[in-house]
């Protein structure tokens, strides 16, 4: 079990989206949840997003996975790194490392990325738009972090798909050892090089941009056939200027636009659907054969459990616990079953003791649906 050695709440007050910092011994006696060999194995899977970055003789190259065994044969013993995105979706030990960060909202959490680097390996100086906690596992890595980007850094996009910047002067310059954590808010340039074979675990947090909210909302209202109306003005009169947009027409059209954004239940559902979609592929395998309701009820009543697919987002709005948003879909929870909401959204495991009154058929039906979709799966 992974436990932070410091108060996350105090940390947030002092540093979150304010300044980068190193927390020495953020985890005491840190044990890597995965070996470099297992991580290399993940880079060979089609559905898993991985990269290989090399900087031998100052020449940067980056390649996307999947890779095969041959990739790892005959590599130099320095100047390369490989990276696996959302490793928590594919490895249960790695998923454990997310647990201590669950005091932060699920919708804000993006993924746990892992990099394995040999000496001098890294991805070069760059700026991210994410809040990230970089946890040092095995080995040591030298990190430099610069002052926040206010346009003073020169982009150097030409580096083989790596969005690097030229160079920066450091406000943090230190060596991370196992269990140390480097927190970097968005916009602070950083650069980390391994001093010896090293594992880094990056817990990344990301909120949608304003432009993503607007473009996704447009998609949502089209998909739900909302606002399929033209402006209605039976009082139209002639005007002098053919090319003029009158103030009154402008107002009416502007109000139509504002009104479309002013429906609380539409916005609530839209946000729930948007925020419950992971940005990374999930290991969802629909049940085969499917479960019937008796089988679901028997499984739970005999004390067995269902486990949520790692990284699946299951969310509810505060004060509205009868609607649950899972992986972009809306589900209704029976009125007397809000314990089910909390079990689905706040826990990884689903078992009988969490559920209020005896399971009613609506609740069993919902669980059946979720299990048959492969969102939860039987855990003995
Ligand atoms: C890495 O672990 O190599 C990259 C992490 C980062 O700088 O975002
Ligand atoms: Co970065």
């Amino acid at each position: 079990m992974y436990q932070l050695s410091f108060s996350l709440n105090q940390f947030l007050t002092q540093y979150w989206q304010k300044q980068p910092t190193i927390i020495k011994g953020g985890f005491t006696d840190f044990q890597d949840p995965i070996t470099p060999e297992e991580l290399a194995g993940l880079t060979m899977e089609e559905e898993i997003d991985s990269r290989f970055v090399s900087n031998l003789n100052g020449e940067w190259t980056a390649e996307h996975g999947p890779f095969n065994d041959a990739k790892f044969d005959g590599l130099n013993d320095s100047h390369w790194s490989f990276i696996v995105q959302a490793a928590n979706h594919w490895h249960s030990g790695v998923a454990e490392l997310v647990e201590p960060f669950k005091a932060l909202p699920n919708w804000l959490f993006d993924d746990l990325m892992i990099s394995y680097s040999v000496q001098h390996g890294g991805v070069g100086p760059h700026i991210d738009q994410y809040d990230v906690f970089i946890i040092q596992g095995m080995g040591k890595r030298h990190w430099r972090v610069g002052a926040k980007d206010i346009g003073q850094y020169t982009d150097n996009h030409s580096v083989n798909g790596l969005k690097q910047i030229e160079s920066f002067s450091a406000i943090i310059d230190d060596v991370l050892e196992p269990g140390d954590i480097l927190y970097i808010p968005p916009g602070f340039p950083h650069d980390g090089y391994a001093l010896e074979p090293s594992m880094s675990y990056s817990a990344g947090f990301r909120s949608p941009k304003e432009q993503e909210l607007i473009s996704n909302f447009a998609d949502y209202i089209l998909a739900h056939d909302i606002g399929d109306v033209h402006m209605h003005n039976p009082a139209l009169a002639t005007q002098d200027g053919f090319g003029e947009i009158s103030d009154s027409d402008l107002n009416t059209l502007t109000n139509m636009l504002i009104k479309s954004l002013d429906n609380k239940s539409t916005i609530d559902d839209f946000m729930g659907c948007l925020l419950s979609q992971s940005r990374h592929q999930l290991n969802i395998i629909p049940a085969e054969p499917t479960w019937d309701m008796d089988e679901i009820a028997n499984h739970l009543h005999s004390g067995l459990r269902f486990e949520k697919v790692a990284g699946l987002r299951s969310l509810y709005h505060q004060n509205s616990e009868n609607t649950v948003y899972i992986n972009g879909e809306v589900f209704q929870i029976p009125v007397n079953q809000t314990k089910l909401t909390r079990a689905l959204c706040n826990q990884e495991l689903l078992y009988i003791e969490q559920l209020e009154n005896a399971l009613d058929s609506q609740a069993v039906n919902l669980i059946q649906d979720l299990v048959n979709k492969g969102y939860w799966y039987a855990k003995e």
Side-chain angles (χ1 to χ4, degrees):
M1 211 177 87
Y2 292 100
Q3 238 177 331
L4 297 170
S5 66
F6 59 96
S7 151
L8 195 52
N9 220 21
Q10 271 173 24
F11 163 88
L12 296 177
T13 311
Q14 204 169 350
Y15 298 104
W16 181 259
Q17 301 205 326
K18 301 170 196 74
Q19 52 173 318
T21 187
I22 289 179
I23 306 149
K24 285 275 177 200
F27 286 100
T28 27
D29 301 323
F30 185 83
Q31 304 288 325
D32 286 271
I34 188 170
T35 63
E37 292 73 24
E38 282 178 284
L39 190 67
L42 295 183
T43 71
M44 297 176 192
E45 302 289 338
E46 189 77 45
E47 337 134 85
I48 304 183
D49 186 5
S50 63
R51 277 179 296 158
F52 180 86
V53 180
S54 153
N55 62 340
L56 196 58
N57 306 320
E59 232 177 84
W60 288 95
T61 59
E63 280 171 81
H64 274 275
F67 302 108
N68 53 30
D69 277 330
K71 179 78 209 165
F72 299 96
D73 289 341
L75 283 172
N76 297 305
D77 52 15
S78 70
H79 294 91
W80 56 263
S81 184
F82 65 85
I83 294 164
V84 174
Q85 291 289 161
N88 55 310
H89 294 192
W90 307 98
H91 187 287
S92 57
V94 172
E96 293 279 308
L97 191 47
V98 178
E99 288 296 321
F101 296 100
K102 286 189 177 164
L104 303 179
N106 190 1
W107 68 264
L108 197 54
F109 174 66
D110 192 34
D111 75 328
L112 198 113
M113 181 188 97
I114 308 182
S115 71
Y116 173 73
S117 308
V118 291
Q119 195 184 16
H120 303 304
V123 299
H126 66 280
I127 298 175
D128 294 316
Q129 293 314 317
Y130 294 18
D131 290 273
V132 67
F133 294 89
I134 303 176
I135 303 151
Q136 181 65 37
M138 64 176 267
K140 291 183 183 165
R141 192 158 167 172
H142 181 184
W143 282 97
R144 295 174 66 254
V145 183
K148 189 170 176 143
D149 179 25
I150 42 164
Q152 74 273 44
Y153 300 112
T154 324
D155 271 345
N156 188 359
H157 291 288
S158 60
V159 204
N160 293 311
L162 289 167
K163 281 199 172 168
Q164 294 184 338
I165 53 168
E166 287 289 356
S167 64
F168 57 85
S169 46
I171 55 170
I172 287 179
D173 187 335
D174 211 340
V175 172
L176 253 57
E177 298 182 40
D180 294 345
I181 302 177
L182 168 62
Y183 164 72
I184 311 173
F188 287 75
H190 52 279
D191 194 6
Y193 288 94
L195 300 176
E196 57 193 40
S198 153
M199 296 279 268
S200 308
Y201 303 86
S202 303
F205 293 81
R206 185 192 203 284
S207 63
K209 289 184 189 183
E210 191 176 308
Q211 54 181 225
E212 288 174 73
L213 291 179
I214 292 172
S215 90
N216 282 286
F217 185 64
D219 293 342
Y220 184 88
I221 61 170
L222 284 175
H224 291 79
D225 210 17
I226 298 166
D228 188 15
V229 285
H230 293 274
M231 172 180 148
H232 179 68
N233 180 19
L236 184 70
T238 57
Q239 63 182 42
D240 287 342
F242 178 46
E244 181 185 271
I245 303 166
S246 71
D247 282 351
S248 123
D249 287 348
L250 180 59
N251 273 340
T252 312
L253 292 165
T254 305
N255 284 334
M256 277 171 77
L257 185 60
I258 292 169
K259 199 172 120 254
S260 75
L261 280 164
D262 193 28
N263 182 324
K264 179 156 166 55
S265 74
T266 303
I267 300 279
D268 286 357
D269 280 349
F270 158 67
M271 287 292 184
C273 290
L274 178 69
L275 298 177
S276 66
Q277 289 170 61
S278 172
R279 294 173 183 273
H280 304 275
Q281 187 142 346
L282 295 158
N283 190 14
I284 296 171
I285 305 162
E288 181 53 50
T290 53
W291 294 63
D292 64 28
M293 283 178 60
D294 283 346
E295 289 167 329
I296 295 285
N298 288 341
H299 185 83
L300 289 168
H301 284 302
S302 57
L304 299 174
R305 302 174 291 178
F306 291 107
E307 181 156 9
K308 181 158 66 179
V309 160
L312 185 84
R313 293 185 184 190
S314 182
L315 310 173
Y316 58 96
H317 290 299
Q318 188 181 8
N319 303 322
S320 173
E321 296 187 17
N322 287 100
T323 306
V324 169
Y325 303 93
I326 304 173
N327 204 28
E329 283 179 71
V330 190
F331 296 89
Q332 294 309 323
I333 303 289
V335 216
N336 59 347
Q337 291 285 355
T338 49
K339 273 200 165 177
L340 178 56
T341 300
R342 289 166 174 269
L344 294 174
C345 299
N346 299 341
Q347 310 292 332
E348 299 309 308
L349 291 171
L350 183 61
Y351 49 91
I352 197 78
E353 291 82 2
Q354 292 164 316
L355 311 172
E356 209 134 23
N357 326 305
L359 271 179
D360 57 34
S361 62
Q362 269 179 297
V364 174
N365 197 236
L366 173 65
I367 298 169
Q368 180 197 20
D369 194 12
L370 298 173
V371 170
N372 285 337
K373 281 175 187 289
Y375 291 171
W376 271 258
Y377 55 90
K379 176 137 175 137
E380 300 306 309

